[in-house]
Amino acid sequence: MNTWIIMKFELRRQLRSRTLLLNMFLLPLVLIFLLGASLSGVVGVQGADEIKPVRVAIVNNGGGGAEASAILTAFLETPEVKGLIIPVKTESREAAESGLRTSKYAYGVIVPPGFDQEVQSGKKASLEFILGRSHDDNRVAGTAFDNLLMELNYKQAAAVTLGPQALTATTAPAGKPGVVLGDLNNGGKTYSAAQFYAASMLLMFLMYSGLTVTASLFNDKENHTLFRIHSMPVKDSHLFIGKMLGVGLVSILQCLTIILLSDWLFGVYWGNRPGLLLLFCLLMIAASMTLGVLICLFSRTSATATNIISVLTVVMTFVSGGMAPLPDSWVNSAGAFTLNHWVQQAVIRMMLHSGLEQLLPNLWVMCFISAALFAAVIVSYRKVGYRG
């Protein structure tokens, strides 16, 4: 009963404070909107770049004499290559070079006479490539024709080793494309700047739940409420648990408000695991409050504890990459020593529909951190105590 009374009093005290409600519920949404809108081109996973077709000058005399190379012609007719290469038949090398100088063509391919015969007989065969002015066009065209040469080398090696019948065996099955374009992340999902800063600001303001607990504990000391509480049959455990439950309920309400309103107002997608998302937020709240209690026990004044928690919150958010894009080496090294790092990485992965096996390591780390902080609070309280 004592615990519930203290919890109700803590809830009423916080919900009556307009400043506290504005800082906990309105300010995070304003920051998510401002940061997400202003840094939309800097933070987040951008969509896949569109590859524009490249105009390629083709000097095709590989069949022998004036006859064109059937191998190159068949390669240029494949659907995958048609989307990348626009072949332009050119009569001579000089014409191809002239077109490259005037940017009429972006790339050039010279097929020497007898190219097909050399390939079919297993002899050394080569193509000549002439680079254009655009690095991107050179890379696209070069990748396409390098794949052709790799395939021909493989077939030639198979023919020399296993005989001419191996050329038929190594032909790709009909109906199956040789090239598949796709995204490297999970299922092609991406995250925006609004999603990134929604996760970052949510965790930063959940960190301030430790500051709320600290302010409440010091408020009882400064107002001499603690003397009256200790004069009644109220255990210290009732006091701590009641205050942490009150602050924890308000923090959970804050968490749900940020998640639901950011989804409704800004279209922030939080992933397909709402239960696991809530579990990570609960662990973040528990770790923040126990850290705040630990700092409170070793601080002499409310100002000292407030400054320490505020500095820790800002530093942890910055080092974990939650305020500005940082190099991955910094985030994965120094950021690993912060609470924000483990939860933020898990939330981003949930937004990208990552598998459960990618989220469990972060979950176990947060469970270990919360348990370690809770044990540190118990040991510290026995040594320091909480007195007026």
Side-chain angles (χ1 to χ4, degrees):
M1 183 60 66
N2 292 335
T3 301
W4 291 114
I5 292 174
I6 295 172
M7 182 194 73
K8 292 178 182 179
F9 172 78
E10 192 64 30
L11 281 174
R12 286 198 300 267
R13 188 184 67 83
Q14 292 195 55
L15 296 178
R16 286 175 181 174
S17 175
R18 295 181 180 179
T19 303
L20 186 64
L21 293 178
L22 289 175
N23 290 335
M24 293 182 68
F25 294 93
L26 181 60
L27 185 57
L29 295 173
V30 173
L31 289 176
I32 291 171
F33 171 74
L34 294 177
L35 293 173
S38 60
L39 299 176
S40 58
V42 179
V43 179
V45 177
Q46 305 298 324
D49 294 333
E50 181 182 357
I51 299 178
K52 297 180 180 180
V54 181
R55 289 177 58 85
V56 179
I58 305 292
V59 182
N60 192 350
N61 296 319
E67 185 180 354
S69 169
I71 294 177
L72 184 62
T73 302
F75 171 74
L76 295 174
E77 290 296 325
T78 57
E80 296 85 1
V81 177
K82 278 186 175 181
L84 301 175
I85 303 298
I86 301 177
V88 181
K89 184 178 179 181
T90 309
E91 297 298 331
S92 64
R93 177 191 177 93
E94 290 74 17
E97 291 178 348
S98 176
L100 288 170
R101 292 191 185 97
T102 59
S103 299
K104 182 179 180 180
Y105 311 124
Y107 199 79
V109 178
I110 311 298
V111 186
F115 177 77
D116 286 10
Q117 290 84 351
E118 292 177 352
V119 171
Q120 294 169 359
S121 61
K123 297 180 180 179
K124 180 179 180 180
S126 61
L127 296 174
E128 183 180 357
F129 302 137
I130 305 177
L131 302 183
R133 295 182 177 182
S134 172
H135 175 73
D136 292 337
D137 290 341
N138 291 336
R139 183 169 53 185
V140 171
T143 301
F145 287 103
D146 285 346
N147 288 335
L148 169 64
L149 293 180
M150 290 174 62
E151 181 181 357
L152 293 179
N153 288 335
Y154 173 73
K155 289 183 177 181
Q156 279 189 308
V160 171
T161 305
L162 304 176
Q165 66 276 9
L167 293 176
T168 305
T170 56
T171 303
K176 294 185 178 181
V179 178
V180 178
L181 298 178
D183 291 317
L184 295 178
N185 56 39
N186 299 272
K189 298 289 182 181
T190 61
Y191 67 89
S192 63
Q195 287 177 287
F196 178 83
Y197 281 110
S200 174
M201 293 299 104
L202 171 64
L203 299 179
M204 186 178 77
F205 280 88
L206 289 183
M207 281 282 293
Y208 281 115
S209 58
L211 185 62
T212 307
V213 172
T214 301
S216 178
L217 292 174
F218 272 103
N219 184 60
D220 288 343
K221 283 186 176 182
E222 294 170 355
N223 295 335
H224 304 290
T225 307
L226 201 56
F227 286 115
R228 297 192 294 272
I229 293 177
H230 283 156
S231 66
M232 296 183 290
V234 178
K235 296 181 179 179
D236 291 335
S237 60
H238 297 163
L239 179 62
F240 274 98
I241 295 174
K243 286 185 175 293
M244 293 184 73
L245 284 176
V247 175
L249 288 176
V250 175
S251 298
I252 292 173
L253 181 61
Q254 176 194 24
C255 174
L256 294 176
T257 302
I258 294 174
I259 292 174
L260 295 177
L261 288 183
S262 63
D263 183 15
W264 179 51
L265 295 176
F266 313 131
V268 174
Y269 177 67
W270 291 89
N272 61 343
R273 299 180 185 273
L276 197 57
L277 174 63
L278 182 59
L279 178 58
F280 272 106
C281 291
L282 291 175
L283 289 172
M284 187 68 178
I285 293 171
S288 302
M289 289 193 299
T290 50
L291 180 62
V293 171
L294 189 63
I295 294 173
C296 175
L297 293 176
F298 288 97
S299 299
R300 293 186 177 182
T301 63
S302 175
T304 302
T306 300
N307 292 334
I308 292 175
I309 295 176
S310 299
V311 170
L312 280 178
T313 300
V314 173
V315 170
M316 285 187 180
T317 305
F318 177 78
V319 172
S320 62
M323 288 187 175
L326 296 177
D328 291 339
S329 58
W330 291 13
V331 174
N332 294 327
S333 56
F337 294 94
T338 66
L339 299 176
N340 309 57
H341 171 82
W342 299 101
V343 183
Q344 182 169 326
Q345 295 298 321
V347 173
I348 294 296
R349 288 171 184 171
M350 281 187 275
M351 292 176 176
L352 298 177
H353 286 199
S354 297
L356 185 61
E357 65 280 358
Q358 294 178 282
L359 303 174
L360 286 179
N362 297 57
L363 181 62
W364 300 135
V365 170
M366 283 304 300
C367 290
F368 173 78
I369 292 175
S370 301
L373 288 174
F374 185 74
V377 167
I378 295 176
V379 174
S380 301
Y381 176 77
R382 291 179 178 178
K383 291 185 177 181
V384 179
Y386 177 59
R387 297 290 184 271

